[in-house]
Amino acid sequence: MKDSIGWGILGPGKIAHSFVNDLKLVKGGRLIAAASRDLTRAESFISEHGGDYAFGSYEELFQCDAVDVIYIATPHTGHMEWAIKAMQSGKPVLCEKPLGVNLGQVKQLLAVAKEQQVFLMEALWSRFNPSIQKVKQLIDQNEIGKVSYIHADFAFYGLDRDEKGRILNPDLAGGSILDIGIYPIFLAYLILGKPQSIQASSNFHQSGAEIQTSMMFKYQNAQALLYSGLTSSSQMQAEIQGEYGAIYLDSRWHETQGFTLQTEDEKVHHEVLTVGKGYSYEIEEVHNCLKNNRLESELWSHQNSIDLISLLDNVRNKAGVVFPFET
């Protein structure tokens, strides 16, 4: 792999703008191209961010020799199709979370990655957040003892959105669970692993989209109370309680800039500022993997993606959330 890694953006929406702004802060990475079904949208993206090529089809992006890796930022329902086509064209892929909308899709993606011997990673950016990495390290070092309780939520008001847009449209795998519920589920999984059992309950919008879901993950000696919703905004702090201490992740915890470690003796706040918005860390992980010829990340592996989507499927099953294209 050459010293400078050229990125292609598939789906130049809001999250892609944030991603590329952080790409500019990463040494050895550069925006090469953007592709959209609307050429003017791709041209506007390239004009704003300084890339070389704008394409009016995704297929043109796959054939661009200057592109070393593709970032897929379409709505959820486009992830599997376009990640597979990118990998079949020989392109490494960083695909926005969730990697697929269900376990079957994720398994197909990983099968193609293995068949093509090409890098694939789910863009679960919170896994690479410096505060969250430090918190995981402290817990692994037994700083607060065995964890027995986690509380985490993610909620914003989204009922004013267009019902045909990705948030409230079941045909686009809309609702809170895959979009934002994935974060609290991820935190419980990161700290406590896979639960013994799951309870979940949802409320629904007139469009049919799930808009509120409460979850309880039960472990042998711990519980995690999790929530995602589109009916109101929450403070979005996360709490991890252990035998003789606790850790509180600052709001908004999934992109946190610090945390508080409380033990029997003291309570100390640690400020851990991110570079840019925080996408730079997953970008650096992709660069490291590509330069070392790794086909998956050790920090967020293919098995991690399998486990996470399995938990998401379980929550949806318990809460009765089924997308029209799954029936």
Side-chain angles (χ1 to χ4, degrees), residues 8-283:
I9 307 300
L10 193 154
K14 181 179 178 181
I15 194 169
H17 283 277
S18 296
F19 180 88
V20 169
N21 281 332
D22 277 8
L23 174 60
K24 298 169 188 175
L25 305 175
V26 177
K27 183 179 179 180
R30 191 168 86 84
L31 173 63
I32 296 294
S36 171
R37 288 167 172 163
D38 179 353
L39 178 58
T40 57
R41 197 162 174 238
E43 289 173 338
S44 175
F45 189 91
I46 290 298
S47 176
E48 178 177 347
H49 294 289
D52 298 334
Y53 305 102
F55 299 122
S57 73
Y58 300 149
E59 289 80 5
E60 290 176 276
L61 180 64
F62 302 152
Q63 300 306 315
C64 181
D65 292 336
V67 170
D68 299 306
V69 58
I70 291 176
Y71 171 62
I72 294 177
T74 65
H76 306 326
T77 47
H79 290 179
M80 182 180 73
E81 176 184 1
W82 297 114
I84 285 176
K85 289 181 177 178
M87 289 188 292
Q88 288 175 336
S89 299
K91 298 295 189 187
V93 169
L94 174 67
C95 181
E96 257 312 320
K97 53 81 190 165
L99 192 55
V101 300
N102 53 42
L103 179 60
Q105 287 198 359
V106 172
K107 284 184 173 179
Q108 287 186 61
L109 281 159
L110 298 184
V112 173
K114 183 177 181 180
E115 174 187 302
Q116 298 293 321
Q117 287 293 288
V118 67
F119 174 84
L120 172 66
M121 189 177 92
E122 182 176 23
L124 197 73
W125 69 316
S126 296
R127 177 62 183 98
F128 308 97
N129 176 282
S131 290
I132 291 176
Q133 290 205 62
K134 182 61 177 178
V135 165
K136 179 70 164 68
Q137 180 185 23
L138 291 171
I139 290 171
D140 290 346
Q141 293 171 346
N142 206 37
E143 288 292 324
I144 62 172
K146 291 183 180 179
V147 173
S148 61
Y149 172 70
I150 292 175
H151 174 264
D153 63 3
F154 195 140
F156 65 87
Y157 187 77
L159 301 185
D160 54 352
R161 305 291 182 91
D162 183 354
E163 290 185 16
K164 294 182 180 179
R166 71 176 187 87
I167 294 293
L168 296 177
N169 188 346
D171 291 325
L172 295 177
S176 81
I177 295 174
L178 294 189
D179 199 61
I180 54 179
I182 190 172
Y183 289 108
I185 292 171
F186 149 75
L187 186 65
Y189 168 68
L190 180 70
I191 303 303
L192 291 171
K194 298 180 73 173
Q196 292 179 327
S197 63
I198 291 175
Q199 296 179 31
S201 179
S202 295
N203 285 330
F204 295 84
H205 190 264
Q206 62 186 13
S207 68
E210 162 272 328
I211 52 173
Q212 274 188 306
T213 297
S214 296
M215 299 159 268
M216 195 274 278
F217 284 17
K218 183 181 184 301
Y219 300 81
Q220 184 173 356
N221 297 301
Q223 292 188 355
L225 300 183
L226 315 172
Y227 172 80
S228 63
L230 303 172
T231 63
S232 62
S233 297
S234 66
Q235 193 170 3
M236 285 186 60
Q237 289 180 321
E239 175 181 351
I240 304 167
Q241 294 280 350
E243 289 175 292
Y244 40 80
I247 295 174
Y248 303 91
L249 288 164
D250 294 353
S251 180
R252 300 179 340 146
W253 70 262
H254 75 298
E255 57 182 1
T256 188
Q257 306 289 302
F259 62 92
T260 297
L261 173 62
Q262 181 175 350
T263 61
E264 295 174 353
D265 300 323
E266 60 183 357
K267 186 175 183 179
V268 180
H269 183 263
H270 299 265
E271 186 176 70
V272 189
L273 301 179
T274 61
V275 174
K277 190 171 177 63
Y279 292 99
S280 59
Y281 304 99
E282 67 177 3
I283 294 170

